[in-house]
Structure formats: structure tokens, C-alpha cells
Amino acid sequence: MCAYSVFNTFPVYPLSAKPLILLAFCRYRYHTSLFQRPGFQEMMKYVEDYSVSTLIVKDLSRLGREYSYMGRLQDFIFPAYDVRFIAINDDVDSAKGENDFAVFKNVFNDYYAKDTSKKIRAVVKMRGEAGEHIASNPPYGYVKDPQNKKKWIVDEESAKVVRRIFDLCIAGKGPMQIAKILTADRVLTVTAYNARQKGWAMPDNLYRWCAKSVAGILERPEYTGCTVNFKTYTKSLKFKKRMENPKENRRIFEDTQPAIIERGQWERVQALRANKRRPTKTGKTSIFSGLVYCADCGAKLYYCTCNTYKNESQDHFVCSNYKSNTGSCQIHYIREVTLYKRVLECIQGTLTYVRLFRDDFTQEMLAQDEASRKAELTQKRKALSGTQKRMEDLDKIIQRLYEDSVLGKLSDLRFQKLSAQYETEQAEIQQLAASLEREIENEAGQIADVGRFLQLADRYSDLQELDASTVNELIEKIVVHSPEKISGKKHVTIEVYFTYVGKSGFHLPNRNY
């Protein structure tokens, strides 16, 4: 548990030239103090300046419960600066000589802090395992239910801002761009909004959003209606820094509060943020940036533009590994206007087909997904079989090494080195096998989420033009193949991968592609 301690210092100025007497009292929250408190640091500055003659506390625990540091304070630091130390309730006065029981008092105080910390951690873990919210405050967009403080309800005013942030991200805006938009629109920051709601002092900058705050909102899965416990942890009582917990150690509980963001939209935002989209030097951007990939090397296609172009018809995408025929890949080139036209035609054709033959489309997608899953599962089962065979071989090898060592055919040093090497490989293979088993188990029951795509198809049933938001919601990626000459004309094959259901392929016969 985090602690916050405040020192109240009361300097007593004597009538004569006697040194200053400093009375220090410490208020505790829970059981920890550890010596990073501003008041404690201020007091030690007085001590180190030889401005203090006497330090008086209520009892030994008022300065801290850490045994080793308290011993250094009383036995070395205070005597070095000629400070008289008095603990009233524990009858400790350095002017009367050493107190034999002070050492035991410090040990008991240290043990008390550790024991209390252990009990609190156990209670928090029990609550977290039961699916309760263990965070002190709900995230921005939620408030505690007045009827039940353990539940969260949607705060509509802040939830509108959260939805707007996700919509802007879907529209192709990054955290910095979103922060600038919110600042320009004079939207209260998270800190300012919480301060206004709770009646606290308002911060100086009411509307200055930062990219870190926006990114934190975009990354929170709680907005989908789930609870994520044990995201961070502390290593020990005396090490207060919060460490990020690995994902496998976290506990996720679904449908614990009303969702602000749909699961599909949240997942799409995470996929978009995984692909960084930087504007060109000219300041121009494309709605397809970050979505176009090379079919041969898998690299992204760069968006190329120039201020010297007469119009935007020359803006194009080219493979990042082509590098003017000096790179490791062949040219994969397509003009943006051509890409826009063909992708729009593909989307319109797909949406029309879905509208007219909804049931047939659903069956086709499920059959296609089942075939691809079967192929992937077959490959993973083959890999799992290979790891199991290697495990059996390693057991035989280690047994043979042991027999050779016993018979004197192998030196002890060589045996230890080889056995350690094989045991390390065995441990790595065991982890790989466990991972493959989990993946096979998880994928065995999965199907393509056709329902989500059908919802998008209904929303965009009358699509006439494309924008960044539409493209990012409907399309997962676009794969461009190298051009082929057919009957004297160059053809480029483009594969459009729709979100949730997969790809649709077609050819672009066009000399000026």
C-alpha cells in the first residue's frame, strides 16, 4: 500500500543563544512511511545544518518502522550532528544513555509493518480474484454507483469525450493530434474534470491535454465493460515503485459494468495503434496510410507525395524495400487515386453482395474460416508432435550422458556442461509445447466473427465515398502484388482484407496504375 506522511515542524526560538529545539510529529496512513516524505527531508536538512539541538517524537514508530534505518538514525546520524533524541511514550532519551529496549522496539515495529502489509495484500488479492474492482477510483468515463460503491456506472459527460477519442483514432488521428483537437475545443482534462466533480482545487491548465493521457484512455480495456485486476504490483514493502504485471498474471472479468466502447471498436483501435502512421514532409496524409503492404516482402508501402506535383493524381504508394531498384524487393507501385477507386468498387460490390445474399455470404465465410483454421491447426499439431519427439530424444541423451559419466567415459566438467545445455533446451521446448497446446485448444472452437462484419455492412450499406474512419473500420489491410504484363497491359493484383472475415482479391487492368 502507498503511504503519505506529513511532518508538522514547530521551531521554538529560545530567549538566549541556545540551539533551536525542533518538535516533529508524523501522521501515518496505514503502516508505511519510508523516508521519502517532504517533511522528513526538510527536518533532516535542519539536522544536517546543525540547527537542531533536540528532536522529540511521540514514540519510536513516528519516524518510521524500518528497523535498519531507525537504528542508523539513533546510533549514528543523530549523535554525529549532536542531536538529542527523545521518544516520549517509549521512555527513550539519548541524553540518559542507550536504551536497551529501543532495539527490540524497532524490530517489533518493523515486523508489525511487514505483517500488516501481508494481511492487506491477502485481502486485496482475495477481492481481485473474486472479480471486485480493486482500484481506488474508476477510470475516466465511469463513476461509483451511489447505491453500491463496489459497482461502476457510466458518467455520460466524460463518456462522450471517451467515445470521441476512440472515434478520432478510428478516423486516423494519433494521440498527439487528438490531444491538440481536445485542447482547441477547450475540453476539460481528466485532472480538471475530476477536480471539478469532487470540489478540489482546480489545476492551472484546465484544457491542455497531453498525448500520454489520450494514449492511456485508448489502451484501457475497461471501456469494453470488463474489469482487469493485478495490472501492477510492488516487489516488497520497502520498494514502492509499481511494476507492470505480465498479461498472463492478470485477471480479466467480463461484463462487470456497462460498456462505453464496443469490443470490436476497441480491438480495431489497438490494431491501428500498432501501426504507426506518420505524415509526410509535405503535411499530406492518405486514408490508406498504414494499411497497404507488399505481397512479396511483407513490408509497408510508403505514401509518396511532393509539392511540385501539378495535382494529387501523382501521389502514390511504393514498397519501402524497393529503394529505387537498389533494395531487396521489386517495385510494388500504385497511385492513390487508382487505389481509392478500386477499393471503393470492391467495398461497394462486397456490401451489395452481403445485402442481396446475406445467408450465402455467412455460409461462405464460415466455410472459408473453417478451412483456414484446419490448415493452421494441422501445422501447429505437427509442430507440437515435433517438440514431443525432441523431448523424448533429449531424455535418452541425458540418460546416456549420465551412464557415460558413471562409467568414466565422460569427465565431470564435460558432463555438467552438456547436461546443463540439454536441460535448458528441454525447458524451452516444454514452454513451446505448452504454448502450442494452449493455442490449439483456443483455436479449436473459434469461428470468423461474421456477425460483427454484418453489423458494419448494415451501417455502410449505402456507401458512396471513402474516408479514414470508414476505411479503418472496414479494412484490416490491403496487399499489393508486383505488376504483370498480360496481353501488353500491366495488371496489378490487390487483395483487400476486410475486418473480421478476410480477403477479397481482384485484378486492376490499367496501364497508368
Side-chain angles (χ1 to χ4, degrees):
M1 301 297 291
C2 295
Y4 179 74
S5 304
V6 178
F7 272 87
N8 294 329
T9 57
F10 303 93
V12 179
Y13 294 93
L15 297 176
S16 61
K18 295 180 181 180
L20 172 68
I21 296 178
L22 181 68
L23 304 179
F25 298 89
C26 178
R27 296 194 185 101
Y28 276 83
R29 179 178 297 175
Y30 301 117
H31 60 280
T32 59
S33 60
L34 302 186
F35 306 92
Q36 301 301 320
R37 302 169 303 217
F40 182 86
Q41 298 296 332
E42 183 181 358
M43 183 198 72
M44 291 306 298
K45 288 181 181 179
Y46 283 117
V47 171
E48 293 169 359
D49 291 342
Y50 295 91
S51 302
V52 178
S53 66
T54 303
L55 179 65
I56 304 174
V57 296
K58 179 182 176 183
D59 53 52
L60 290 173
S61 67
R62 293 303 91 189
L63 285 181
R65 300 187 188 275
E66 187 178 355
Y67 163 66
S68 59
Y69 195 86
M70 283 304 302
R72 290 199 298 272
L73 277 176
Q74 297 170 35
D75 298 337
F76 300 102
I77 298 177
F78 290 155
Y81 291 101
D82 196 22
V83 175
R84 179 183 177 185
F85 177 67
I86 299 174
I88 299 173
N89 289 351
D90 292 325
D91 194 25
V92 173
D93 188 347
S94 59
K96 298 179 181 179
E98 294 184 0
N99 188 310
D100 294 336
F101 290 98
V103 176
F104 297 101
K105 279 279 187 180
N106 290 332
V107 172
F108 289 144
N109 289 333
D110 193 21
Y111 172 77
Y112 172 79
K114 292 179 180 178
D115 185 59
T116 307
S117 176
K118 184 178 179 181
K119 291 177 180 177
I120 292 176
R121 286 172 182 265
V123 172
V124 172
K125 183 177 181 181
M126 181 177 65
R127 289 174 50 206
E129 293 287 351
E132 294 184 18
H133 300 298
I134 59 177
S136 301
N137 297 306
Y140 180 72
Y142 289 102
V143 293
K144 291 182 179 180
D145 188 349
Q147 306 300 326
N148 185 353
K149 297 296 184 181
K150 294 183 178 181
K151 292 185 177 292
W152 294 347
I153 58 175
V154 176
D155 177 30
E156 286 300 332
E157 184 177 356
S158 55
K160 289 180 181 178
V161 180
V162 174
R163 295 188 187 101
R164 184 183 180 190
I165 289 173
F166 275 82
D167 290 340
L168 288 171
C169 185
I170 289 289
K173 305 294 183 183
M176 181 59 72
Q177 294 171 302
I178 296 174
K180 290 180 178 179
I181 292 173
L182 296 177
T183 301
D185 292 345
R186 297 179 65 81
V187 177
L188 284 175
T189 63
V190 176
T191 303
Y193 183 80
N194 290 334
R196 190 191 69 179
Q197 295 297 102
K198 297 178 181 180
W200 296 345
M202 298 295 284
D204 295 333
N205 298 317
L206 300 179
Y207 310 107
R208 186 179 297 173
W209 285 76
C210 64
K212 186 176 181 180
S213 297
V214 174
I217 291 174
L218 292 172
E219 293 170 358
R220 296 207 69 155
E222 287 88 344
Y223 292 122
T224 62
C226 67
T227 294
V228 184
N229 288 334
F230 312 119
K231 291 190 290 186
T232 60
Y233 71 100
T234 55
K235 289 187 175 180
S236 70
L237 165 68
K238 299 175 183 179
F239 185 72
K240 292 295 144 188
K241 184 178 180 181
R242 304 295 301 183
M243 310 293 291
E244 185 174 356
N245 217 2
K247 292 185 178 180
E248 58 268 20
N249 294 337
R250 302 177 185 180
R251 291 297 306 275
I252 300 177
F253 302 88
E254 301 291 344
D255 302 324
T256 55
Q257 68 269 353
I260 296 177
I261 303 298
E262 294 180 358
R263 169 65 66 174
Q265 185 182 13
W266 187 86
E267 291 175 351
R268 189 64 190 135
V269 165
Q270 308 315 306
L272 291 174
R273 296 201 64 238
N275 297 318
K276 303 298 182 182
R277 305 180 182 195
R278 298 177 177 85
T280 61
K281 293 181 180 179
T282 62
K284 296 181 181 179
T285 57
S286 171
I287 61 176
F288 301 109
S289 294
L291 296 176
V292 189
Y293 290 85
C294 173
D296 293 336
C297 67
K300 289 183 181 179
L301 267 64
Y302 283 164
Y303 177 58
C304 300
T305 183
C306 182
N307 288 327
T308 58
Y309 290 162
K310 295 181 179 179
N311 52 52
E312 296 181 354
S313 62
Q314 298 301 316
D315 297 342
H316 61 276
F317 287 89
V318 66
C319 179
S320 57
N321 286 331
Y322 173 62
K323 299 177 182 178
S324 300
N325 207 26
T326 60
S328 58
C329 190
Q330 297 179 351
I331 187 170
H332 294 71
Y333 168 95
I334 188 168
R335 290 187 297 137
E336 185 189 23
V337 291
T338 303
L339 184 64
Y340 179 96
K341 181 179 179 181
R342 300 310 189 196
V343 170
L344 178 59
E345 290 176 356
C346 177
I347 293 176
Q348 289 175 333
T350 302
L351 295 180
T352 301
Y353 179 79
V354 170
R355 186 171 63 251
L356 296 177
F357 308 100
R358 194 182 189 91
D359 293 338
D360 292 342
F361 174 81
T362 302
Q363 294 300 323
E364 289 175 9
M365 289 298 102
L366 292 177
Q368 177 182 332
D369 179 68
E370 185 177 0
S372 62
R373 281 190 301 107
K374 283 183 178 179
E376 189 174 356
L377 285 173
T378 301
Q379 185 177 3
K380 288 185 177 180
R381 287 195 180 103
K382 184 177 180 180
L384 179 60
S385 177
T387 58
Q388 292 172 343
K389 185 178 184 304
R390 180 58 179 168
M391 284 287 293
E392 294 175 358
D393 294 341
L394 287 175
D395 287 335
K396 294 178 181 179
I397 291 172
I398 293 174
Q399 182 179 359
R400 181 65 60 85
L401 285 176
Y402 179 76
E403 293 175 354
D404 290 344
S405 176
V406 171
L407 297 175
K409 297 180 180 180
L410 196 67
S411 66
D412 292 341
L413 181 62
R414 190 65 176 169
F415 169 75
Q416 292 176 359
K417 184 176 181 180
L418 290 174
S419 61
Q421 178 180 345
Y422 286 124
E423 286 175 357
T424 301
E425 182 183 356
Q426 203 170 37
E428 293 175 352
I429 290 177
Q430 285 178 341
Q431 292 180 355
L432 177 60
S435 176
L436 287 171
E437 288 176 353
R438 286 195 301 268
E439 290 177 5
I440 291 172
E441 183 180 355
N442 292 336
E443 291 180 6
Q446 289 181 355
I447 60 173
D449 200 343
V450 183
R452 290 185 180 177
F453 182 77
L454 293 178
Q455 291 177 359
L456 290 177
D458 293 338
R459 190 190 311 171
Y460 295 104
S461 59
D462 192 25
L463 184 67
Q464 300 299 324
E465 59 182 17
L466 298 177
D467 56 25
S469 179
T470 304
V471 170
N472 290 331
E473 280 199 289
L474 288 173
I475 297 177
E476 181 180 348
K477 65 179 179 179
I478 302 170
V479 177
V480 177
H481 290 257
S482 57
E484 298 178 281
K485 272 194 174 183
I486 301 177
S487 301
K489 294 183 179 181
K490 287 186 177 180
H491 291 248
V492 175
T493 300
I494 294 179
E495 295 173 345
V496 178
Y497 286 76
F498 290 95
T499 53
Y500 309 126
V501 294
K503 69 178 179 179
S504 173
F506 57 92
H507 293 276
L508 302 184
N510 197 325
R511 292 181 179 178
N512 299 317
Y513 62 91

